[in-house]
Each structure stands twice: as structure tokens, then as C-alpha cells.
């Protein structure tokens, strides 16, 4: 089993690039954000708990997220997995390394797509007009970005210390050219 983590601030294009990678490489994909939004629209117990937190721009508890991840990995043993939206803090990262160790994962790669904070805001406000995601308003976006820079971005240094390869990608450019760069760098 291999693990690829797609990483970067809100609006960097992770979700779009992840979908293309799934098509181009035929790998399995888990987006914790999408999975939680599905639970919300199905009005499950999990969806009700997660919905309140997500709409305020907060992070869902590590316990819930790790439960989802373990469940997904059990069902997809032996596959290469692309993680989107996870891990999001140092604790989730430590747990992920433990879980991967247990499942005998050989390689972990991180694709770090970066854009400036102002670009995140511009893109998410634009998306808000099209998709009507309840967490896409200026106040909530700022809160999510604060959490990203305080809790999520520091994961990169943690991974570096663990000897994990980080592939840095500039998130400004066309969808196709960014995908091509990612595919080429994954081969290196
Ligand atoms: P974005 O990156 O734009 O915030 P996502 O779709 O990745 O969008 O996530 C939406 C929301 O789902 C997050 O704001 C958070 O509340 C919740 N969420 C997703 N993944 C995690 C995670 N790994 N840990 C905690 N909360 C999460």
C-alpha cells in the first residue's frame, strides 16, 4: 500500500487535482470534507454533529475523523490511497503514521499545492456564488484559513522531520498544467 496526501490551503485546487489523479492513476480517494458533507445531506447522526461544526468553520473532532479514516482503510486494504483534507493537525498526522505503519504502508508522498491567502479568499468567494456551500462566507472562510495556517500548515515540517517527501506545487496556473506537473513529479 502507498499513501499520497494532497495538501494545501482552502481553494488551492486540491479537490479538482485529486479527482484528476484518481482518473489518471486509478487509485482510491478519500475526501473527509466531501464525506462529511454527504453525511450532512443524508441527515445522519454523524451529519448532524459535523454540520454544526462545519458551518461555523471549525474542525470536526479527531475521534470522528480517525474513525472515518480507519473504516475507509479497512475497506480498501492493499490499495494506493489519496487523502484529501486529512490530516489537518499534528495529532491526526501522528495517528496517520501509526495507522499506516500497522497496515504496512511502504511509501508516503505529500503533494503540497500552495497559493497566497488572498487568492484563497478570492476563489472561495467566487465558489460561494456558484455552489452555495454554507461554509463559504467571508467570516467562515477567514476562520478556516486561520486554522489552516495555525494547525494544518505546520504538518509539513513534522512530515519533513519524519523523512517524508514533500512535492511543492505552485497552485497558480491552469488545471491541466498543474496536473501534468504533479504527475511528472510523482514519477521522480
Ligand atoms: P476546506 O478545505 O475548503 O475547508 P473540506 O471539504 O476539506 O474544505 O472540509 C470542509 C470541512 O470539513 C472543514 O472546514 C472541517 O470542518 C471538516 N473537516 C474535513 N476534514 C477534516 C479533518 N481531517 N479534521 C477535522 N475536520 C475536518
Amino acid at each position: 500500500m502507498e499513501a499520497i496526501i494532497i495538501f494545501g490551503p482552502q481553494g488551492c485546487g486540491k479537490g479538482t487535482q485529486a479527482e484528476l489523479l484518481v482518473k489518471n492513476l486509478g487509485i482510491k480517494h478519500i475526501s473527509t470534507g466531501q464525506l462529511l458533507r454527504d453525511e450532512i445531506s443524508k441527515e445522519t447522526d454523524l451529519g448532524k454533529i459535523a454540520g454544526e461544526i462545519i458551518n461555523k468553520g471549525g474542525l470536526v473532532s479527531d475521534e470522528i475523523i480517525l474513525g472515518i479514516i480507519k473504516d475507509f482503510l479497512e475497506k480498501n486494504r492493499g490499495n494506493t490511497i489519496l487523502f484529501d483534507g486529512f490530516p489537518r493537525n499534528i495529532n491526526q498526522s501522528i495517528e496517520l503514521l501509526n495507522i499506516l505503519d500497522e497496515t504496512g504502508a511502504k511509501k508516503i508522498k505529500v503533494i503540497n499545492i500552495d497559493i497566497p491567502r488572498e487568492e484563497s479568499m478570492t476563489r472561495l468567494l467566487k465558489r460561494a456564488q456558484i455552489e452555495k456551500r454554507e461554509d463559504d462566507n467571508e467570516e467562515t472562510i477567514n476562520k478556516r484559513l486561520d486554522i489552516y495556517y495555525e494547525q494544518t500548515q505546520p504538518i509539513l515540517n513534522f512530515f519533513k522531520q519524519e523523512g517524508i517527501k514533500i512535492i511543492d506545487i505552485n497552485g497558480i496556473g491552469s488545471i491541466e498544467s498543474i496536473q501534468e506537473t504533479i504527475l511528472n513529479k510523482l514519477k521522480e
Side-chain angles (χ1 to χ4, degrees), residues 8-11 14 31-37 50 53-55 57-62 65 69 84-89 92 124 127 133 135-136 140 144 147-148:
Q10 282 76 8
K14 273 185 313 212
S31 158
T32 44
Q34 190 52 51
L35 201 145
L36 292 169
R37 279 190 292 282
I53 303 166
I54 291 180
N55 292 341
L59 286 188
V60 174
S61 76
D62 289 354
I65 296 292
I69 294 289
D84 172 2
F86 173 88
R88 247 183 162 88
N89 58 32
Q92 290 182 8
L124 265 61
R127 182 171 81 183
R133 253 177 65 169
D135 57 349
D136 280 349
T140 315
R144 281 151 62 206
I147 295 178
Y148 176 79

Side-chain angles (χ1 to χ4, degrees), residues 1-7 18 21-22 25 27-30 79-87 96 100 105 107-112 159 164-165 167 182-183 186-187:
M1 180 193 163
E2 280 185 34
I4 304 174
I5 298 166
I6 193 150
F7 197 90
L21 284 171
V22 169
L25 301 174
I27 54 182
K28 301 279 174 188
H29 168 222
I30 179 165
N79 289 294
T80 293
I81 312 279
L82 179 65
F83 294 94
D84 172 2
F86 173 88
L96 175 65
L100 291 176
K107 270 194 220 148
I108 305 170
K109 287 178 189 163
V110 178
I111 302 164
N112 174 37
F159 278 152
I164 292 167
K165 186 177 174 189
I167 300 171
I182 295 175
L183 287 171
L186 280 174
K187 281 186 215 141

Side-chain angles (χ1 to χ4, degrees), residues 1-2 28 69-81 99-105:
M1 180 193 163
E2 280 185 34
K28 301 279 174 188
I69 294 289
K70 282 182 189 159
D71 191 47
F72 181 83
L73 290 179
E74 249 159 53
K75 290 183 186 136
N76 291 283
R77 276 179 187 279
N79 289 294
T80 293
I81 312 279
I99 299 168
L100 291 176
D101 235 13
E102 283 164 23
T103 54

